[in-house]
């Protein structure tokens, strides 16, 4: 099943094996992985709580 991550990116959730909320040099992002390879990342967030809320909302709309 495909979900729209942003204006240019659609993710195939059937292939996503894990997600990770990660602190990177420019902020906090949600990363999406197929196996060991990162295939996409979200926009920047101010804190982990807002990133988690965004991810739950995204997945709730699909599941």
């Amino acid at each position: 099943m495909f979900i729209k991550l942003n204006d240019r990116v659609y993710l195939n959730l059937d292939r996503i094996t894990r997600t990770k909320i990660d602190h990177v040099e420019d902020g906090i992002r949600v990363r999406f992985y197929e196996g060991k390879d990162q295939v996409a990342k979200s926009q920047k967030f101010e804190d982990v709580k807002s990133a988690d809320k965004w991810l739950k909302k995204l997945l709730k709309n699909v599941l």
Side-chain angles (χ1 to χ4, degrees):
M1 172 175 284
F2 285 89
I3 60 168
K4 186 174 182 176
L5 184 59
N6 60 37
D7 293 338
R8 299 176 295 164
V9 177
Y10 287 84
L11 286 177
N12 183 351
L13 280 185
D14 296 332
R15 297 188 62 167
I16 299 298
T17 56
R18 69 184 172 113
T19 59
K20 181 179 179 184
I21 298 175
D22 198 15
H23 295 269
V24 293
E25 53 193 51
D26 62 345
I28 296 171
R29 294 185 183 263
V30 179
R31 297 175 183 250
F32 298 88
Y33 293 87
E34 290 180 11
K36 63 179 180 171
D37 299 322
Q38 178 184 320
V39 294
K41 62 184 174 182
S42 69
Q43 75 269 14
K44 294 181 273 185
F45 295 97
E46 293 295 320
D47 55 20
V48 174
K49 185 177 180 180
S50 59
D52 187 51
K53 183 178 178 181
W54 175 84
L55 181 59
K56 286 179 181 178
K57 181 180 176 185
L58 179 74
L59 294 177
K60 182 181 178 187
N61 290 337
V62 175
L63 305 175

